[in-house]
Amino acid sequence: MELVVSLEFSGGAELLFDKVKNHEVSLPARANGPWTIKHLLVWIKDNLLKERPELFVQGDTVRPGILVLINDADWELMGELNYELKSKDRIVFISTLHGG
Amino acid sequence: MELVVSLEFSGGAELLFDKVKNHEVSLPARANGPWTIKHLLVWIKDNLLKERPELFVQGDTVRPGILVLINDADWELMGELNYELKSKDRIVFISTLHGG
Amino acid sequence: PDIPCETLSNASIARYSRQLILPEVGVKGQLALANASVLIVGAGGLGCPAALYLAAAGTGCLGLLDYDTVELSNLHRQVLHTEQRVSVPKSSSAAFGCNQLNSTVRCIPYHMQLDSQNALQLLRQYDVVLDCTDNVATRYLLNDACIMAKKPLISGSALRFEGQLTVYNYQDGPCYRCLYPTPPPPETVTNCSDGGVLGVIPGIIGCLQALEAVKVICSLGNTYSQRLLLFDGLEGTFRTIKLRPRQQSCVVCGDNPSVTKLIDYEQFCGSRANDKEHSLELL
Amino acid sequence: PDIPCETLSNASIARYSRQLILPEVGVKGQLALANASVLIVGAGGLGCPAALYLAAAGTGCLGLLDYDTVELSNLHRQVLHTEQRVSVPKSSSAAFGCNQLNSTVRCIPYHMQLDSQNALQLLRQYDVVLDCTDNVATRYLLNDACIMAKKPLISGSALRFEGQLTVYNYQDGPCYRCLYPTPPPPETVTNCSDGGVLGVIPGIIGCLQALEAVKVICSLGNTYSQRLLLFDGLEGTFRTIKLRPRQQSCVVCGDNPSVTKLIDYEQFCGSRANDKEHSLELL
Ligand SMILES: [Zn+2]
Ligand SMILES: [Zn+2]
C-alpha cells in the first residue's frame, strides 16, 4: 500500500527542489518493513533532488545545518533516522539561517 | 455521554473568566438533540462566567466585538449559533483589540 | 508622486541592493515601491515601526496622520519619536524621523484628526492605507472611507501583551463591518492608556503591517486578506484564523450598500474618536 | 549599573506608565528592567530594532557591539542608523539612536570584533545576550561563551523572506551546539549580502528578540527556550517547533563537556567571522 506524506523544505533548502516548498508525495509500499526517515532520505535523493545532493545529504543522514521536524517536533524527540513514517505525516527540512 | 471541548478566551475576554485563557470543559449529555454553539453560550453564562454577563452575551448570541472561532475558522464559515459541537472541538472567543 | 519613476538611479540600486537581489522583489518591485504612496493613520505604537520600515524600503510617498503631540509616556513604544521632540506634533516628528533614515521618501505630515469631512479626499491620494489608530470610531470611519475610495486597508491593533493583524477590502476579502456589523458596547472597549501595553507588541504588529503593505504594493500574494493573525506575546503564540469572505449583506461593502456616505462615527459607536478631547477642551 | 535601583523615580513612573499598569510587569518588572544589562552582538538588521525596543522599555544598560561602520546599503533594514551617520561605527550610531529615544539608558558601544580572546570577559558583565550576528563562526563563538559565562542567549536570524528565533542556554533548554553539533559546510551558508533580505523581516525577528529579553528579565515565563519559531514572510506563516532538551552528550553544555575554553571558530567553521575582512585588508 502506498504511503502519502507531506514534505516541506524551508530556510533555503527549497532551493535544491526547484524552489518548491511543499511536496505531497506517495511512497510505494516497501516489501521488507516500514518506511523510516532513513529510507525517506534515500527516496528524496533518488526522486526529488534536482542537483548537488551533497548540499542535502551526507552519508545516510542530512548534512549539518539542516534540522528535521516530524509533525512540528524536532526529530531528535521522535527517534531520528529510525522514526517510522505514518500516513499524513508532515516532515519538514529546515536549513538554519545565519543572516542578520 | 459527556462532550469534552476546549474553550479559549483572549483579547481581554479572559478577564471575565478569572483571567484564565484556556478551559477544558465536559458538557453533560443533552436529552433532546446535539450541543450547538447556542447551547454552549447558555452553558458558559451559567457555569463559567464570574460576573457581568452582559459584557459577554447579548440576547442569545455573543456581544458585538467578540469573534467566535471554531477550530481556527471564523464561526460564520461553520454555521454560527447552529454549529453542532463535536468531541475535542476548540472554540475560541476573541475580543477585538482597538489599541495602537 | 505625479510622474511615475521608470528606472532606478544608481544610488537606489546601491541603497536597496539587498532587497533588489530577491527575485520576488527585483527592479520591478522596487519601482512599484518607489511609485507607491501609503497613508499611515496614527503615528503611535503601530504607526512608528510601520513608517520606519516603509521608509527604509523606499516607498515613494508616506502620509503620516496624527492629531496628537509627542509625550514622554509615548516613548516606551513610539520609537520613531525622541525625547527632544516631546511636544512636537507626532505627524511631523514621524516625518522627520523617516527622512533621517531615507531622505528620498516624500513624507507628508498631517497634524489633524481624521473625520467624515476630510477622510475621503485624503484617502483618494494614496494607494494603500494603514490603520494604526487607537479607537473604535476612527476604525469604522477608516473602514468605510477605504471601501468608498476603493483602497486596501491594513489593520493592526495591540493591547497588553496581545496583537491582531488583518487586511480589509482587498481581493474580495471582508471589510471591518463584514466582521463587526455592530460596534462594541463602549464599556467593553479598553485603550492602551487604561489597559496598558508592552511597547514591543505594537512594534511587532506595526512591522507586520509594513510587510503586508510591501506585499500588496509588490503583488507578492499571500496577504492577510481573509485571514486574521492573533499574537499572544505572553504565551509566545501566533495563530492564524480563516475569516469569512466579503459579505453580500454588508451595509458598506455588500451588494446593496445602505451606507454610501460617511456618517457620524462617534455617534454610531457611542464613543469619542480620541481620548484627548476633554483635555483639549480644557485649554 | 553597580548599585541596584530600588525605587522608581516619578519621571520613570510617568514615562513607563503604560507598561507599569500591566500586572505582569508592574513596579517589580520595571525595576528588574532598570537593573538589567543586555549585550546586543551585531547592530545590524536584527540588532537595530532589538536595541530600540529594549531602550524604549527602560533597560538599565545596553552593550552594543559591532565591528562595522554604517553604509548606505544597510539603511533598508538597519533602521536605528541614519543617512547622516553613514561611515560612523554602527555601535556608536546605535548608542546615539537609543539615547535620543531614552537618555536614561546607559549605552555602551563596542566598536570591535567579538573573538575568543575578548568574549568571556565582556559577556560576564551582562545578564542577557542577544545574538544579532550574521555569520556561523560568531554564532558558535557566542554560544560557547554564553555556556561558559552562564548567560541566556536570545538568538535571531533572517534571510530573504524568512526568520528564525529561539532562546539557548536557558532553563535547561538546549544550546546551539545541542542542535547543530557540526557546523554546516561553508558552501551551504548564505549571508544577507549574497542572498538578500527584505528589511522588515529582521525587523520582526529583532522585535521578537527584544520581547524574549523582556520576558527573561521580568521572569514572565513561556520563552522560546526549547522552542523554535519559523517565520515565512512570503507565505505569512508562523510555525512553532518543539525542540530537544539540553543534550547530556553536548560537547559544551553536556554533562562531560570537552570544550571548556573558547577555540578558533573560523577554523572550526571553515569560514570567516565577517565578510568585511578582505576589504579591510585592502586598505
Ligand atoms: Zn463589508
Ligand atoms: Zn549544548
Side-chain angles (χ1 to χ4, degrees):
Chain A
M1 217 182 71
E2 292 206 329
L3 186 63
V4 177
V5 297
S6 90
L7 305 181
E8 295 183 30
F9 303 92
S10 76
E14 74 279 10
L15 301 178
L16 299 171
F17 298 88
D18 267 350
K19 295 179 103 179
V20 178
K21 289 190 167 182
N22 301 307
H23 301 247
E24 183 104 328
V25 301
S26 293
L27 305 172
R30 291 192 73 249
N32 36 2
W35 274 90
T36 64
I37 297 285
K38 191 169 175 172
H39 303 129
L40 178 66
L41 289 178
V42 174
W43 186 90
I44 289 173
K45 193 174 156 184
D46 293 343
N47 293 274
L48 277 188
L49 258 177
K50 300 294 174 181
E51 45 185 339
R52 306 191 67 188
E54 74 280 9
L55 300 185
F56 188 71
V57 286
Q58 255 186 31
D60 66 354
T61 188
V62 292
R63 62 119 174 123
I66 289 183
L67 196 63
V68 184
L69 310 175
I70 300 170
N71 301 324
D72 283 352
D74 183 348
W75 73 333
E76 199 275 341
L77 301 166
M78 312 290 282
E80 300 199 352
L81 287 172
N82 300 318
Y83 173 82
E84 297 182 7
L85 293 175
K86 301 185 316 293
S87 174
K88 294 189 181 165
D89 272 350
R90 189 164 67 161
I91 315 296
V92 184
F93 299 89
I94 313 163
S95 185
T96 327
L97 306 178
H98 310 93
Chain B
M1 216 182 70
E2 292 206 327
L3 186 64
V4 177
V5 296
S6 91
L7 306 180
E8 295 183 30
F9 303 92
S10 76
E14 74 279 9
L15 301 178
L16 299 170
F17 299 88
D18 269 351
K19 296 179 105 179
V20 178
K21 289 191 166 181
N22 302 308
H23 301 249
E24 182 105 329
V25 302
S26 292
L27 305 172
R30 291 190 74 249
N32 37 3
W35 275 91
T36 64
I37 298 285
K38 193 169 176 170
H39 304 129
L40 178 65
L41 290 177
V42 174
W43 185 89
I44 289 174
K45 193 174 157 182
D46 292 345
N47 294 274
L48 277 188
L49 259 176
K50 300 294 173 182
E51 46 184 339
R52 307 193 63 190
E54 74 279 10
L55 299 185
F56 187 72
V57 286
Q58 252 186 35
D60 65 354
T61 188
V62 292
R63 62 116 172 123
I66 289 184
L67 196 63
V68 185
L69 309 176
I70 300 171
N71 302 324
D72 283 352
D74 183 350
W75 72 331
E76 199 275 341
L77 301 167
M78 311 288 283
E80 300 199 352
L81 288 171
N82 301 317
Y83 173 82
E84 297 182 7
L85 293 176
K86 303 183 315 292
S87 173
K88 296 189 181 166
D89 272 349
R90 187 164 69 160
I91 316 294
V92 185
F93 299 89
I94 314 162
S95 186
T96 327
L97 306 178
H98 309 93
Chain C
D2 310 34
I3 304 152
C5 164
E6 285 170 12
T7 51
L8 292 177
S9 65
N10 285 343
S12 291
I13 292 170
R15 179 171 198 137
Y16 305 115
S17 55
R18 300 300 183 272
Q19 70 193 34
L20 273 170
I21 54 175
L22 294 167
E24 297 84 353
V25 178
V27 173
K28 202 177 147 213
Q30 194 63 49
L31 282 171
L33 281 163
N35 289 310
S37 56
V38 177
L39 179 65
I40 298 178
V41 183
L46 298 164
C48 282
L52 254 180
Y53 280 97
L54 286 174
T59 307
C61 174
L62 281 183
L64 298 154
L65 188 148
D66 206 301
Y67 64 87
D68 209 355
T69 54
V70 177
E71 291 174 31
L72 194 66
S73 67
N74 299 147
L75 298 186
H76 88 108
R77 68 183 190 282
Q78 304 183 16
V79 298
L80 191 44
H81 309 306
T82 61
E83 288 180 358
Q84 230 186 342
R85 297 203 290 272
V86 165
S87 309
V88 169
K90 288 186 186 178
S91 56
S92 31
S93 170
F96 187 82
C98 286
N99 276 144
Q100 281 197 308
L101 177 63
N102 192 344
S103 60
T104 70
V105 177
R106 189 169 150 228
C107 290
I108 308 178
Y110 300 99
H111 182 52
M112 63 186 214
Q113 174 104 41
L114 195 75
D115 64 30
S116 303
Q117 273 63 57
N118 60 29
L120 272 179
Q121 191 233 338
L122 186 64
L123 263 64
R124 288 208 180 96
Q125 303 169 49
Y126 288 88
D127 301 317
V128 178
V129 181
L130 264 59
D131 186 344
C132 300
T133 66
D134 60 358
N135 65 84
V136 184
T138 309
R139 287 180 182 270
Y140 276 98
L141 163 62
L142 208 42
N143 179 70
D144 291 4
C146 280
I147 301 291
M148 293 172 197
K150 299 190 168 51
K151 307 291 179 183
L153 176 62
I154 297 169
S155 171
S157 58
L159 185 68
R160 292 183 276 260
F161 291 88
E162 289 184 90
Q164 298 174 355
L165 171 82
T166 188
V167 176
Y168 292 122
N169 193 36
Y170 186 61
Q171 295 182 333
D172 224 42
C175 84
Y176 192 58
R177 288 226 204 206
C178 291
L179 292 180
Y180 312 107
T182 311
E187 67 270 26
T188 66
V189 175
T190 311
N191 60 27
C192 293
S193 303
D194 297 338
V197 63
L198 192 73
V200 72
I201 304 290
I204 292 159
I205 300 294
C207 284
L208 288 166
Q209 287 181 276
L211 173 59
E212 291 299 299
V214 170
K215 292 174 75 172
V216 166
I217 292 165
C218 299
S219 304
L220 295 179
N222 290 318
T223 67
Y224 270 86
S225 170
Q226 218 182 316
R227 290 198 289 167
L228 171 63
L229 179 72
L230 304 173
F231 171 55
D232 185 328
L234 207 48
E235 309 209 341
T237 53
F238 295 87
R239 180 182 290 177
T240 302
I241 300 307
K242 188 175 190 298
L243 293 178
R244 67 196 72 176
R246 183 177 70 83
Q247 301 290 286
Q248 294 175 359
S249 61
C250 177
V251 294
V252 65
C253 80
D255 294 343
N256 292 296
S258 59
V259 177
T260 54
K261 273 187 209 164
L262 298 177
I263 60 171
D264 182 334
Y265 292 89
E266 297 194 339
Q267 189 182 48
F268 177 63
C269 297
S271 61
R272 309 306 294 257
N274 67 63
D275 49 4
K276 287 289 160 65
E277 196 84 354
H278 68 272
S279 57
L280 287 178
E281 281 168 356
L282 289 179
L283 295 177
Chain D
D2 309 33
I3 305 151
C5 165
E6 285 172 10
T7 52
L8 291 176
S9 65
N10 285 343
S12 290
I13 292 170
R15 177 171 199 135
Y16 305 114
S17 55
R18 300 301 183 273
Q19 70 192 33
L20 273 170
I21 54 175
L22 294 168
E24 296 84 353
V25 178
V27 174
K28 202 177 147 215
Q30 194 64 51
L31 282 171
L33 281 164
N35 289 312
S37 56
V38 178
L39 178 65
I40 298 178
V41 183
L46 299 163
C48 281
L52 255 179
Y53 280 96
L54 286 174
T59 306
C61 175
L62 281 183
L64 298 153
L65 187 148
D66 206 301
Y67 64 87
D68 209 355
T69 54
V70 178
E71 291 175 30
L72 194 66
S73 67
N74 299 146
L75 299 185
H76 87 109
R77 68 182 190 281
Q78 304 185 14
V79 298
L80 190 44
H81 309 306
T82 62
E83 289 180 359
Q84 229 184 345
R85 296 203 291 273
V86 164
S87 308
V88 168
K90 288 187 184 178
S91 56
S92 33
S93 170
F96 186 82
C98 287
N99 276 143
Q100 281 197 308
L101 177 64
N102 192 342
S103 60
T104 70
V105 176
R106 189 170 151 228
C107 290
I108 308 178
Y110 301 99
H111 181 52
M112 62 187 217
Q113 174 106 39
L114 195 76
D115 64 30
S116 302
Q117 273 64 55
N118 59 29
L120 272 179
Q121 190 232 340
L122 185 64
L123 263 64
R124 288 208 179 95
Q125 304 169 49
Y126 288 88
D127 301 318
V128 178
V129 181
L130 265 57
D131 186 344
C132 300
T133 65
D134 60 358
N135 66 82
V136 184
T138 310
R139 288 180 183 270
Y140 275 98
L141 162 63
L142 207 43
N143 179 72
D144 291 2
C146 280
I147 301 292
M148 293 171 197
K150 298 190 169 52
K151 307 293 178 180
L153 176 62
I154 298 169
S155 171
S157 58
L159 186 69
R160 292 183 275 259
F161 291 88
E162 290 184 89
Q164 298 176 355
L165 171 82
T166 189
V167 176
Y168 293 122
N169 194 34
Y170 186 59
Q171 294 182 333
D172 224 39
C175 84
Y176 191 59
R177 289 224 204 208
C178 291
L179 293 180
Y180 311 106
T182 310
E187 67 271 25
T188 65
V189 175
T190 311
N191 61 25
C192 291
S193 304
D194 296 338
V197 63
L198 192 73
V200 73
I201 304 291
I204 293 159
I205 300 295
C207 284
L208 288 165
Q209 287 181 278
L211 172 59
E212 292 300 298
V214 170
K215 292 174 76 173
V216 166
I217 293 166
C218 299
S219 304
L220 295 178
N222 289 320
T223 67
Y224 271 86
S225 170
Q226 219 181 318
R227 289 198 289 165
L228 171 64
L229 178 72
L230 303 174
F231 171 55
D232 185 328
L234 207 49
E235 308 210 340
T237 53
F238 295 87
R239 179 181 291 176
T240 302
I241 301 306
K242 187 174 192 296
L243 293 179
R244 66 195 73 176
R246 184 176 71 83
Q247 301 289 287
Q248 295 176 359
S249 59
C250 177
V251 294
V252 62
C253 80
D255 294 345
N256 293 297
S258 58
V259 177
T260 54
K261 275 187 205 163
L262 298 178
I263 60 170
D264 180 334
Y265 291 91
E266 296 194 340
Q267 189 181 48
F268 176 63
C269 297
S271 61
R272 312 305 295 256
N274 67 62
D275 49 6
K276 286 289 160 64
E277 197 85 354
H278 67 272
S279 56
L280 287 178
E281 282 170 355
L282 289 179
L283 294 176

